Amino acid sequence: MPTQHDLKGLMKFLARDEWRECFEYVFYDHFGPVLEVGDMEFEDLTEILGEDWAMTLWGCAFEDFLTQDFDVEGGNIVDEYLKRRGWKENAQAKAYMKALRTSVMSLYEVSEVVPGKSLIARDLIRSGDPIAVSEGTATKTLKQWDRVAARIVPLMGKNVFGGGLLPFAPQAADGLFDGLRQMFGKKNSKKLPALKSEELQAAASLFTLSWLFDTLDRAMGLPSMQNADGDELMFHDVRFPIASGTAQKTLAERVNTIPGMSQENPAFWNWLEAKPRHDARKRSAPSFDTTMDNGARVLGNIELKGKFLHLSANSAERAQTGTTLIQQALGDLVGPPLTEIRTVEQMMAERPARKGEDPAPEIPPEIAEQVVHQYMDRHYRETLDQPVQMLGNKTPRQAAKSAAGRKKLAEWLKFLENQSFRQPHADDPMATYSFEWMWHELGVFDLRQ
């Protein structure tokens, strides 16, 4: 007996000439631009992304096809199939097909995830009240505040996801919003227009394309990773021998005169970007960089270790710039540098255990969690009074004073929580940290939905 989500009968019906030709138009809308740009066939996507993702993407196009009317006998494949073959399907299967017939693809933010059971979805495009969704599979991997493109359909008294569900990274969501603004917004407007369901239904292929362009860009660009300046990733450790008799205090005073240096402790500095580079090359691959919680980009680090001053940077260009700045500021306090260079692959490789080396003492989990949480409390308490790029370079307390700032605050806090929840292990001290106090402290807990 077919299950409630069994669409095999409909898929067989697709083999009829009139429906196959109609589906080809929809298929092109979803995949044509990507395949043409990459000079690929759909089978190439399967090879790049894997069979599971290829089938999910095909399902996105097929579900869109089910909603459309064509100038052929019957008009819509669901209507025609149920009229001719509906007697073969059980009540749940027919209800599911009818629900997909009128469904709309949208982008949702998920919360209150109960693994294997349910979640709450908030429509980021059409607004409206959050929706409770019964979901068994996706909830095992989704985290709080993740974004997914999906069709939510009512079925036998519950809301369920359709088969075409795509997790959206922030970059993919930005691409989608840009596309929607171009399709439906006013010229040069940065505001996402309020869309009706029928308008959004007509833009279903944009979800597939936005996800594909972003995913392929990352999947195919990994071998040549770059930093945000467009420089090839190559990790440099530049060691300057400290001149005999030089006091650490004297070195620290000189390092603090270097533009962009932010001292974390007596022996460590973050080298921050003073302003974005206007001569940065266009990136042709996914970029890799570290940012502070206030949004400032980290160009490198400086650390005093024993008899050496260490500069670490993730490209040859930054290492050269940092070396020049240090030599200009410290002069004869340091000697000629020695440089160690490592590739991405070497950085990712785990350090093998040395023969006879004693394992590091294991810290009890409850102690590790307490220490990490105390550190994060102090860190984020200070962050409340520091400028944050995501808040327009306002401090969180300043942003909380306006309606627009409060909205940005909610997005920033959700970003912090989502990154924390995405630790490899659910019991990681970072993953168990609660940001709830920040929502209350800033008076935006009513936006945490």
Side-chain angles (χ1 to χ4, degrees), residues 30 59-68 96 99-106 108 126 133 148-153 160-165 200-201 203-205:
H30 283 257
C60 290
F62 182 65
E63 289 178 346
D64 181 22
F65 171 66
L66 299 184
T67 70
Q68 298 193 30
Y96 183 60
L100 284 176
R101 164 77 168 94
T102 57
S103 65
V104 179
M105 190 77 155
S106 193
Y108 296 93
R126 294 176 294 175
V133 181
V148 296
R151 296 174 184 271
I152 297 179
V153 297
V160 300
F161 282 133
L165 186 147
L200 197 55
Q201 194 174 53
S205 61

PDB file of all heavy atoms in Angstrom, residues 30 59-68 96 99-106 108 126 133 148-153 160-165 200-201 203-205:
ATOM      1  N   HIS A  30      14.581  25.666 -13.413  1.00  0.00           N
ATOM      2  CA  HIS A  30      15.282  25.362 -12.174  1.00  0.00           C
ATOM      3  C   HIS A  30      16.771  25.112 -12.367  1.00  0.00           C
ATOM      4  O   HIS A  30      17.570  25.401 -11.470  1.00  0.00           O
ATOM      5  CB  HIS A  30      14.653  24.141 -11.497  1.00  0.00           C
ATOM      6  CG  HIS A  30      13.368  24.436 -10.796  1.00  0.00           C
ATOM      7  ND1 HIS A  30      13.264  24.559  -9.428  1.00  0.00           N
ATOM      8  CD2 HIS A  30      12.117  24.648 -11.291  1.00  0.00           C
ATOM      9  CE1 HIS A  30      12.015  24.825  -9.100  1.00  0.00           C
ATOM     10  NE2 HIS A  30      11.289  24.880 -10.220  1.00  0.00           N
ATOM     11  N   GLY A  59      13.379  16.953  -6.959  1.00  0.00           N
ATOM     12  CA  GLY A  59      12.093  17.035  -6.267  1.00  0.00           C
ATOM     13  C   GLY A  59      11.578  18.458  -6.156  1.00  0.00           C
ATOM     14  O   GLY A  59      10.361  18.696  -6.232  1.00  0.00           O
ATOM     15  N   CYS A  60      12.478  19.437  -5.998  1.00  0.00           N
ATOM     16  CA  CYS A  60      12.059  20.844  -5.951  1.00  0.00           C
ATOM     17  C   CYS A  60      11.397  21.238  -7.272  1.00  0.00           C
ATOM     18  O   CYS A  60      10.370  21.922  -7.283  1.00  0.00           O
ATOM     19  CB  CYS A  60      13.262  21.748  -5.674  1.00  0.00           C
ATOM     20  SG  CYS A  60      13.941  21.612  -4.010  1.00  0.00           S
ATOM     21  N   ALA A  61      12.010  20.825  -8.378  1.00  0.00           N
ATOM     22  CA  ALA A  61      11.448  21.137  -9.691  1.00  0.00           C
ATOM     23  C   ALA A  61      10.120  20.396  -9.901  1.00  0.00           C
ATOM     24  O   ALA A  61       9.159  20.963 -10.418  1.00  0.00           O
ATOM     25  CB  ALA A  61      12.444  20.767 -10.789  1.00  0.00           C
ATOM     26  N   PHE A  62      10.061  19.143  -9.490  1.00  0.00           N
ATOM     27  CA  PHE A  62       8.847  18.340  -9.679  1.00  0.00           C
ATOM     28  C   PHE A  62       7.686  18.910  -8.865  1.00  0.00           C
ATOM     29  O   PHE A  62       6.552  19.027  -9.364  1.00  0.00           O
ATOM     30  CB  PHE A  62       9.118  16.889  -9.263  1.00  0.00           C
ATOM     31  CG  PHE A  62       7.952  15.975  -9.466  1.00  0.00           C
ATOM     32  CD1 PHE A  62       7.471  15.696 -10.743  1.00  0.00           C
ATOM     33  CD2 PHE A  62       7.321  15.386  -8.380  1.00  0.00           C
ATOM     34  CE1 PHE A  62       6.382  14.851 -10.931  1.00  0.00           C
ATOM     35  CE2 PHE A  62       6.242  14.535  -8.551  1.00  0.00           C
ATOM     36  CZ  PHE A  62       5.765  14.266  -9.836  1.00  0.00           C
ATOM     37  N   GLU A  63       7.937  19.312  -7.621  1.00  0.00           N
ATOM     38  CA  GLU A  63       6.874  19.888  -6.795  1.00  0.00           C
ATOM     39  C   GLU A  63       6.395  21.216  -7.371  1.00  0.00           C
ATOM     40  O   GLU A  63       5.201  21.544  -7.297  1.00  0.00           O
ATOM     41  CB  GLU A  63       7.359  20.056  -5.356  1.00  0.00           C
ATOM     42  CG  GLU A  63       7.520  18.728  -4.628  1.00  0.00           C
ATOM     43  CD  GLU A  63       8.036  18.870  -3.217  1.00  0.00           C
ATOM     44  OE1 GLU A  63       8.522  19.965  -2.856  1.00  0.00           O
ATOM     45  OE2 GLU A  63       7.954  17.888  -2.462  1.00  0.00           O
ATOM     46  N   ASP A  64       7.311  21.994  -7.937  1.00  0.00           N
ATOM     47  CA  ASP A  64       6.898  23.222  -8.619  1.00  0.00           C
ATOM     48  C   ASP A  64       6.012  22.886  -9.815  1.00  0.00           C
ATOM     49  O   ASP A  64       4.983  23.530 -10.046  1.00  0.00           O
ATOM     50  CB  ASP A  64       8.147  23.989  -9.069  1.00  0.00           C
ATOM     51  CG  ASP A  64       7.820  25.301  -9.771  1.00  0.00           C
ATOM     52  OD1 ASP A  64       6.712  25.829  -9.568  1.00  0.00           O
ATOM     53  OD2 ASP A  64       8.684  25.785 -10.534  1.00  0.00           O
ATOM     54  N   PHE A  65       6.391  21.872 -10.578  1.00  0.00           N
ATOM     55  CA  PHE A  65       5.613  21.417 -11.732  1.00  0.00           C
ATOM     56  C   PHE A  65       4.198  21.033 -11.334  1.00  0.00           C
ATOM     57  O   PHE A  65       3.226  21.318 -12.057  1.00  0.00           O
ATOM     58  CB  PHE A  65       6.340  20.229 -12.373  1.00  0.00           C
ATOM     59  CG  PHE A  65       5.570  19.508 -13.438  1.00  0.00           C
ATOM     60  CD1 PHE A  65       5.249  20.128 -14.640  1.00  0.00           C
ATOM     61  CD2 PHE A  65       5.150  18.198 -13.250  1.00  0.00           C
ATOM     62  CE1 PHE A  65       4.533  19.463 -15.627  1.00  0.00           C
ATOM     63  CE2 PHE A  65       4.451  17.519 -14.216  1.00  0.00           C
ATOM     64  CZ  PHE A  65       4.136  18.150 -15.416  1.00  0.00           C
ATOM     65  N   LEU A  66       4.041  20.425 -10.165  1.00  0.00           N
ATOM     66  CA  LEU A  66       2.714  19.990  -9.709  1.00  0.00           C
ATOM     67  C   LEU A  66       1.764  21.158  -9.468  1.00  0.00           C
ATOM     68  O   LEU A  66       0.542  20.984  -9.490  1.00  0.00           O
ATOM     69  CB  LEU A  66       2.841  19.170  -8.420  1.00  0.00           C
ATOM     70  CG  LEU A  66       3.668  17.885  -8.483  1.00  0.00           C
ATOM     71  CD1 LEU A  66       3.607  17.148  -7.144  1.00  0.00           C
ATOM     72  CD2 LEU A  66       3.187  16.973  -9.603  1.00  0.00           C
ATOM     73  N   THR A  67       2.298  22.359  -9.247  1.00  0.00           N
ATOM     74  CA  THR A  67       1.450  23.516  -8.949  1.00  0.00           C
ATOM     75  C   THR A  67       0.994  24.252 -10.204  1.00  0.00           C
ATOM     76  O   THR A  67       0.113  25.114 -10.128  1.00  0.00           O
ATOM     77  CB  THR A  67       2.193  24.529  -8.061  1.00  0.00           C
ATOM     78  OG1 THR A  67       3.245  25.156  -8.819  1.00  0.00           O
ATOM     79  CG2 THR A  67       2.781  23.857  -6.836  1.00  0.00           C
ATOM     80  N   GLN A  68       1.583  23.932 -11.351  1.00  0.00           N
ATOM     81  CA  GLN A  68       1.374  24.757 -12.543  1.00  0.00           C
ATOM     82  C   GLN A  68       0.281  24.224 -13.471  1.00  0.00           C
ATOM     83  O   GLN A  68       0.044  23.022 -13.557  1.00  0.00           O
ATOM     84  CB  GLN A  68       2.693  24.888 -13.317  1.00  0.00           C
ATOM     85  CG  GLN A  68       3.788  25.579 -12.517  1.00  0.00           C
ATOM     86  CD  GLN A  68       4.960  25.977 -13.370  1.00  0.00           C
ATOM     87  OE1 GLN A  68       4.813  26.263 -14.566  1.00  0.00           O
ATOM     88  NE2 GLN A  68       6.145  26.033 -12.788  1.00  0.00           N
ATOM     89  N   TYR A  96      -2.203  14.464   0.193  1.00  0.00           N
ATOM     90  CA  TYR A  96      -0.862  15.022   0.040  1.00  0.00           C
ATOM     91  C   TYR A  96      -0.676  15.619  -1.351  1.00  0.00           C
ATOM     92  O   TYR A  96      -0.131  16.725  -1.502  1.00  0.00           O
ATOM     93  CB  TYR A  96       0.180  13.927   0.295  1.00  0.00           C
ATOM     94  CG  TYR A  96       1.614  14.401   0.246  1.00  0.00           C
ATOM     95  CD1 TYR A  96       2.079  15.386   1.102  1.00  0.00           C
ATOM     96  CD2 TYR A  96       2.516  13.855  -0.666  1.00  0.00           C
ATOM     97  CE1 TYR A  96       3.397  15.812   1.066  1.00  0.00           C
ATOM     98  CE2 TYR A  96       3.835  14.274  -0.712  1.00  0.00           C
ATOM     99  CZ  TYR A  96       4.273  15.255   0.155  1.00  0.00           C
ATOM    100  OH  TYR A  96       5.575  15.680   0.115  1.00  0.00           O
ATOM    101  N   ALA A  99      -2.555  18.865  -1.568  1.00  0.00           N
ATOM    102  CA  ALA A  99      -1.876  19.917  -0.801  1.00  0.00           C
ATOM    103  C   ALA A  99      -0.679  20.461  -1.577  1.00  0.00           C
ATOM    104  O   ALA A  99      -0.447  21.677  -1.610  1.00  0.00           O
ATOM    105  CB  ALA A  99      -1.429  19.374   0.553  1.00  0.00           C
ATOM    106  N   LEU A 100       0.083  19.580  -2.211  1.00  0.00           N
ATOM    107  CA  LEU A 100       1.209  20.036  -3.039  1.00  0.00           C
ATOM    108  C   LEU A 100       0.723  20.854  -4.224  1.00  0.00           C
ATOM    109  O   LEU A 100       1.405  21.784  -4.669  1.00  0.00           O
ATOM    110  CB  LEU A 100       2.020  18.838  -3.538  1.00  0.00           C
ATOM    111  CG  LEU A 100       2.953  18.164  -2.531  1.00  0.00           C
ATOM    112  CD1 LEU A 100       3.612  16.934  -3.165  1.00  0.00           C
ATOM    113  CD2 LEU A 100       4.028  19.129  -2.043  1.00  0.00           C
ATOM    114  N   ARG A 101      -0.443  20.525  -4.729  1.00  0.00           N
ATOM    115  CA  ARG A 101      -1.028  21.222  -5.899  1.00  0.00           C
ATOM    116  C   ARG A 101      -1.115  22.720  -5.653  1.00  0.00           C
ATOM    117  O   ARG A 101      -0.908  23.523  -6.574  1.00  0.00           O
ATOM    118  CB  ARG A 101      -2.416  20.626  -6.179  1.00  0.00           C
ATOM    119  CG  ARG A 101      -3.318  21.452  -7.098  1.00  0.00           C
ATOM    120  CD  ARG A 101      -2.895  21.278  -8.529  1.00  0.00           C
ATOM    121  NE  ARG A 101      -3.880  21.823  -9.450  1.00  0.00           N
ATOM    122  CZ  ARG A 101      -3.847  23.056  -9.958  1.00  0.00           C
ATOM    123  NH1 ARG A 101      -2.894  23.899  -9.608  1.00  0.00           N
ATOM    124  NH2 ARG A 101      -4.767  23.434 -10.839  1.00  0.00           N
ATOM    125  N   THR A 102      -1.405  23.127  -4.438  1.00  0.00           N
ATOM    126  CA  THR A 102      -1.567  24.557  -4.118  1.00  0.00           C
ATOM    127  C   THR A 102      -0.450  25.083  -3.216  1.00  0.00           C
ATOM    128  O   THR A 102      -0.562  26.169  -2.655  1.00  0.00           O
ATOM    129  CB  THR A 102      -2.918  24.791  -3.421  1.00  0.00           C
ATOM    130  OG1 THR A 102      -3.001  23.976  -2.240  1.00  0.00           O
ATOM    131  CG2 THR A 102      -4.080  24.426  -4.352  1.00  0.00           C
ATOM    132  N   SER A 103       0.631  24.327  -3.078  1.00  0.00           N
ATOM    133  CA  SER A 103       1.705  24.708  -2.154  1.00  0.00           C
ATOM    134  C   SER A 103       2.573  25.837  -2.709  1.00  0.00           C
ATOM    135  O   SER A 103       2.579  26.112  -3.907  1.00  0.00           O
ATOM    136  CB  SER A 103       2.589  23.492  -1.844  1.00  0.00           C
ATOM    137  OG  SER A 103       3.258  23.051  -3.016  1.00  0.00           O
ATOM    138  N   VAL A 104       3.313  26.478  -1.823  1.00  0.00           N
ATOM    139  CA  VAL A 104       4.196  27.596  -2.190  1.00  0.00           C
ATOM    140  C   VAL A 104       5.552  27.395  -1.529  1.00  0.00           C
ATOM    141  O   VAL A 104       5.647  27.120  -0.330  1.00  0.00           O
ATOM    142  CB  VAL A 104       3.601  28.947  -1.728  1.00  0.00           C
ATOM    143  CG1 VAL A 104       4.544  30.099  -2.091  1.00  0.00           C
ATOM    144  CG2 VAL A 104       2.233  29.166  -2.351  1.00  0.00           C
ATOM    145  N   MET A 105       6.601  27.519  -2.311  1.00  0.00           N
ATOM    146  CA  MET A 105       7.969  27.440  -1.779  1.00  0.00           C
ATOM    147  C   MET A 105       8.301  28.764  -1.103  1.00  0.00           C
ATOM    148  O   MET A 105       8.045  29.841  -1.663  1.00  0.00           O
ATOM    149  CB  MET A 105       8.962  27.177  -2.911  1.00  0.00           C
ATOM    150  CG  MET A 105      10.381  26.839  -2.468  1.00  0.00           C
ATOM    151  SD  MET A 105      10.473  25.142  -1.880  1.00  0.00           S
ATOM    152  CE  MET A 105      12.204  24.766  -2.151  1.00  0.00           C
ATOM    153  N   SER A 106       8.879  28.701   0.108  1.00  0.00           N
ATOM    154  CA  SER A 106       9.308  29.922   0.781  1.00  0.00           C
ATOM    155  C   SER A 106      10.538  29.616   1.622  1.00  0.00           C
ATOM    156  O   SER A 106      10.975  28.468   1.713  1.00  0.00           O
ATOM    157  CB  SER A 106       8.184  30.490   1.654  1.00  0.00           C
ATOM    158  OG  SER A 106       8.507  31.816   2.065  1.00  0.00           O
ATOM    159  N   TYR A 108      12.199  29.671   5.340  1.00  0.00           N
ATOM    160  CA  TYR A 108      11.758  29.636   6.729  1.00  0.00           C
ATOM    161  C   TYR A 108      12.951  29.625   7.683  1.00  0.00           C
ATOM    162  O   TYR A 108      13.994  29.042   7.399  1.00  0.00           O
ATOM    163  CB  TYR A 108      10.909  28.388   6.989  1.00  0.00           C
ATOM    164  CG  TYR A 108       9.620  28.357   6.205  1.00  0.00           C
ATOM    165  CD1 TYR A 108       9.562  27.727   4.968  1.00  0.00           C
ATOM    166  CD2 TYR A 108       8.467  28.950   6.701  1.00  0.00           C
ATOM    167  CE1 TYR A 108       8.382  27.699   4.223  1.00  0.00           C
ATOM    168  CE2 TYR A 108       7.282  28.924   5.973  1.00  0.00           C
ATOM    169  CZ  TYR A 108       7.248  28.302   4.737  1.00  0.00           C
ATOM    170  OH  TYR A 108       6.081  28.282   4.015  1.00  0.00           O
ATOM    171  N   ARG A 126       7.019  36.038   3.613  1.00  0.00           N
ATOM    172  CA  ARG A 126       5.620  36.473   3.706  1.00  0.00           C
ATOM    173  C   ARG A 126       5.194  36.844   5.119  1.00  0.00           C
ATOM    174  O   ARG A 126       4.039  37.229   5.334  1.00  0.00           O
ATOM    175  CB  ARG A 126       4.716  35.353   3.183  1.00  0.00           C
ATOM    176  CG  ARG A 126       4.867  35.063   1.695  1.00  0.00           C
ATOM    177  CD  ARG A 126       4.015  33.884   1.276  1.00  0.00           C
ATOM    178  NE  ARG A 126       4.481  32.640   1.909  1.00  0.00           N
ATOM    179  CZ  ARG A 126       3.858  31.475   1.791  1.00  0.00           C
ATOM    180  NH1 ARG A 126       2.736  31.384   1.096  1.00  0.00           N
ATOM    181  NH2 ARG A 126       4.350  30.388   2.379  1.00  0.00           N
ATOM    182  N   VAL A 133       5.488  22.418  12.593  1.00  0.00           N
ATOM    183  CA  VAL A 133       5.637  21.430  11.528  1.00  0.00           C
ATOM    184  C   VAL A 133       6.038  20.083  12.128  1.00  0.00           C
ATOM    185  O   VAL A 133       6.967  20.013  12.934  1.00  0.00           O
ATOM    186  CB  VAL A 133       6.708  21.868  10.508  1.00  0.00           C
ATOM    187  CG1 VAL A 133       6.845  20.840   9.391  1.00  0.00           C
ATOM    188  CG2 VAL A 133       6.360  23.235   9.924  1.00  0.00           C
ATOM    189  N   VAL A 148      15.735  27.279   5.957  1.00  0.00           N
ATOM    190  CA  VAL A 148      15.480  26.241   4.964  1.00  0.00           C
ATOM    191  C   VAL A 148      14.445  26.737   3.960  1.00  0.00           C
ATOM    192  O   VAL A 148      13.510  27.458   4.314  1.00  0.00           O
ATOM    193  CB  VAL A 148      14.975  24.930   5.607  1.00  0.00           C
ATOM    194  CG1 VAL A 148      16.029  24.333   6.520  1.00  0.00           C
ATOM    195  CG2 VAL A 148      13.669  25.147   6.367  1.00  0.00           C
ATOM    196  N   ALA A 149      14.643  26.365   2.700  1.00  0.00           N
ATOM    197  CA  ALA A 149      13.628  26.601   1.677  1.00  0.00           C
ATOM    198  C   ALA A 149      12.800  25.334   1.585  1.00  0.00           C
ATOM    199  O   ALA A 149      13.345  24.231   1.472  1.00  0.00           O
ATOM    200  CB  ALA A 149      14.285  26.912   0.337  1.00  0.00           C
ATOM    201  N   ALA A 150      11.490  25.477   1.657  1.00  0.00           N
ATOM    202  CA  ALA A 150      10.635  24.296   1.682  1.00  0.00           C
ATOM    203  C   ALA A 150       9.196  24.684   1.382  1.00  0.00           C
ATOM    204  O   ALA A 150       8.825  25.867   1.379  1.00  0.00           O
ATOM    205  CB  ALA A 150      10.714  23.613   3.054  1.00  0.00           C
ATOM    206  N   ARG A 151       8.387  23.645   1.124  1.00  0.00           N
ATOM    207  CA  ARG A 151       6.932  23.800   1.012  1.00  0.00           C
ATOM    208  C   ARG A 151       6.311  23.187   2.256  1.00  0.00           C
ATOM    209  O   ARG A 151       6.565  22.016   2.567  1.00  0.00           O
ATOM    210  CB  ARG A 151       6.413  23.092  -0.242  1.00  0.00           C
ATOM    211  CG  ARG A 151       6.937  23.688  -1.537  1.00  0.00           C
ATOM    212  CD  ARG A 151       6.523  22.865  -2.755  1.00  0.00           C
ATOM    213  NE  ARG A 151       7.121  23.413  -3.958  1.00  0.00           N
ATOM    214  CZ  ARG A 151       6.561  24.363  -4.722  1.00  0.00           C
ATOM    215  NH1 ARG A 151       5.339  24.809  -4.400  1.00  0.00           N
ATOM    216  NH2 ARG A 151       7.167  24.831  -5.793  1.00  0.00           N
ATOM    217  N   ILE A 152       5.532  23.965   2.981  1.00  0.00           N
ATOM    218  CA  ILE A 152       4.816  23.448   4.141  1.00  0.00           C
ATOM    219  C   ILE A 152       3.366  23.205   3.720  1.00  0.00           C
ATOM    220  O   ILE A 152       2.685  24.124   3.264  1.00  0.00           O
ATOM    221  CB  ILE A 152       4.875  24.430   5.325  1.00  0.00           C
ATOM    222  CG1 ILE A 152       6.326  24.611   5.782  1.00  0.00           C
ATOM    223  CG2 ILE A 152       4.012  23.926   6.477  1.00  0.00           C
ATOM    224  CD1 ILE A 152       6.492  25.581   6.930  1.00  0.00           C
ATOM    225  N   VAL A 153       2.921  21.966   3.863  1.00  0.00           N
ATOM    226  CA  VAL A 153       1.586  21.610   3.396  1.00  0.00           C
ATOM    227  C   VAL A 153       0.783  20.989   4.532  1.00  0.00           C
ATOM    228  O   VAL A 153       1.322  20.239   5.349  1.00  0.00           O
ATOM    229  CB  VAL A 153       1.643  20.631   2.202  1.00  0.00           C
ATOM    230  CG1 VAL A 153       2.330  21.279   1.014  1.00  0.00           C
ATOM    231  CG2 VAL A 153       2.374  19.352   2.567  1.00  0.00           C
ATOM    232  N   VAL A 160       3.271  19.461   7.329  1.00  0.00           N
ATOM    233  CA  VAL A 160       4.477  18.683   7.021  1.00  0.00           C
ATOM    234  C   VAL A 160       5.253  19.378   5.913  1.00  0.00           C
ATOM    235  O   VAL A 160       4.713  20.206   5.174  1.00  0.00           O
ATOM    236  CB  VAL A 160       4.126  17.238   6.589  1.00  0.00           C
ATOM    237  CG1 VAL A 160       3.376  16.511   7.678  1.00  0.00           C
ATOM    238  CG2 VAL A 160       3.324  17.231   5.292  1.00  0.00           C
ATOM    239  N   PHE A 161       6.533  19.049   5.800  1.00  0.00           N
ATOM    240  CA  PHE A 161       7.342  19.553   4.703  1.00  0.00           C
ATOM    241  C   PHE A 161       7.127  18.696   3.457  1.00  0.00           C
ATOM    242  O   PHE A 161       6.912  17.488   3.550  1.00  0.00           O
ATOM    243  CB  PHE A 161       8.833  19.494   5.058  1.00  0.00           C
ATOM    244  CG  PHE A 161       9.298  20.588   5.968  1.00  0.00           C
ATOM    245  CD1 PHE A 161      10.089  20.295   7.074  1.00  0.00           C
ATOM    246  CD2 PHE A 161       8.974  21.918   5.730  1.00  0.00           C
ATOM    247  CE1 PHE A 161      10.546  21.294   7.911  1.00  0.00           C
ATOM    248  CE2 PHE A 161       9.413  22.927   6.566  1.00  0.00           C
ATOM    249  CZ  PHE A 161      10.196  22.615   7.662  1.00  0.00           C
ATOM    250  N   GLY A 162       7.226  19.337   2.283  1.00  0.00           N
ATOM    251  CA  GLY A 162       7.293  18.584   1.051  1.00  0.00           C
ATOM    252  C   GLY A 162       8.664  17.925   0.947  1.00  0.00           C
ATOM    253  O   GLY A 162       9.519  18.085   1.828  1.00  0.00           O
ATOM    254  N   GLY A 163       8.896  17.223  -0.127  1.00  0.00           N
ATOM    255  CA  GLY A 163      10.149  16.495  -0.275  1.00  0.00           C
ATOM    256  C   GLY A 163      11.339  17.368  -0.634  1.00  0.00           C
ATOM    257  O   GLY A 163      12.482  17.017  -0.357  1.00  0.00           O
ATOM    258  N   GLY A 164      11.106  18.513  -1.271  1.00  0.00           N
ATOM    259  CA  GLY A 164      12.200  19.384  -1.700  1.00  0.00           C
ATOM    260  C   GLY A 164      12.572  20.382  -0.635  1.00  0.00           C
ATOM    261  O   GLY A 164      12.099  21.527  -0.637  1.00  0.00           O
ATOM    262  N   LEU A 165      13.428  19.997   0.306  1.00  0.00           N
ATOM    263  CA  LEU A 165      13.849  20.876   1.405  1.00  0.00           C
ATOM    264  C   LEU A 165      15.337  21.172   1.260  1.00  0.00           C
ATOM    265  O   LEU A 165      16.160  20.255   1.203  1.00  0.00           O
ATOM    266  CB  LEU A 165      13.559  20.209   2.751  1.00  0.00           C
ATOM    267  CG  LEU A 165      13.819  21.054   4.008  1.00  0.00           C
ATOM    268  CD1 LEU A 165      12.826  20.689   5.113  1.00  0.00           C
ATOM    269  CD2 LEU A 165      15.243  20.872   4.520  1.00  0.00           C
ATOM    270  N   LEU A 200       5.044  34.541  -5.155  1.00  0.00           N
ATOM    271  CA  LEU A 200       6.121  33.678  -4.682  1.00  0.00           C
ATOM    272  C   LEU A 200       6.091  32.324  -5.387  1.00  0.00           C
ATOM    273  O   LEU A 200       7.138  31.743  -5.682  1.00  0.00           O
ATOM    274  CB  LEU A 200       5.999  33.489  -3.170  1.00  0.00           C
ATOM    275  CG  LEU A 200       7.230  32.962  -2.431  1.00  0.00           C
ATOM    276  CD1 LEU A 200       8.442  33.830  -2.713  1.00  0.00           C
ATOM    277  CD2 LEU A 200       6.950  32.899  -0.938  1.00  0.00           C
ATOM    278  N   GLN A 201       4.903  31.854  -5.675  1.00  0.00           N
ATOM    279  CA  GLN A 201       4.760  30.583  -6.390  1.00  0.00           C
ATOM    280  C   GLN A 201       5.420  30.657  -7.766  1.00  0.00           C
ATOM    281  O   GLN A 201       6.024  29.696  -8.234  1.00  0.00           O
ATOM    282  CB  GLN A 201       3.283  30.234  -6.526  1.00  0.00           C
ATOM    283  CG  GLN A 201       3.003  28.797  -6.946  1.00  0.00           C
ATOM    284  CD  GLN A 201       1.524  28.493  -6.911  1.00  0.00           C
ATOM    285  OE1 GLN A 201       0.706  29.205  -7.510  1.00  0.00           O
ATOM    286  NE2 GLN A 201       1.144  27.443  -6.212  1.00  0.00           N
ATOM    287  N   ALA A 203       8.012  32.273  -8.452  1.00  0.00           N
ATOM    288  CA  ALA A 203       9.460  32.436  -8.304  1.00  0.00           C
ATOM    289  C   ALA A 203      10.115  31.187  -7.722  1.00  0.00           C
ATOM    290  O   ALA A 203      11.233  31.252  -7.214  1.00  0.00           O
ATOM    291  CB  ALA A 203       9.755  33.635  -7.402  1.00  0.00           C
ATOM    292  N   ALA A 204       9.442  30.039  -7.802  1.00  0.00           N
ATOM    293  CA  ALA A 204       9.946  28.818  -7.161  1.00  0.00           C
ATOM    294  C   ALA A 204      11.335  28.430  -7.651  1.00  0.00           C
ATOM    295  O   ALA A 204      12.175  27.965  -6.873  1.00  0.00           O
ATOM    296  CB  ALA A 204       8.965  27.674  -7.395  1.00  0.00           C
ATOM    297  N   SER A 205      11.592  28.616  -8.944  1.00  0.00           N
ATOM    298  CA  SER A 205      12.898  28.202  -9.479  1.00  0.00           C
ATOM    299  C   SER A 205      14.044  29.025  -8.902  1.00  0.00           C
ATOM    300  O   SER A 205      15.195  28.579  -8.880  1.00  0.00           O
ATOM    301  CB  SER A 205      12.897  28.309 -11.007  1.00  0.00           C
ATOM    302  OG  SER A 205      12.676  29.652 -11.415  1.00  0.00           O
TER     303      SER A 205
END
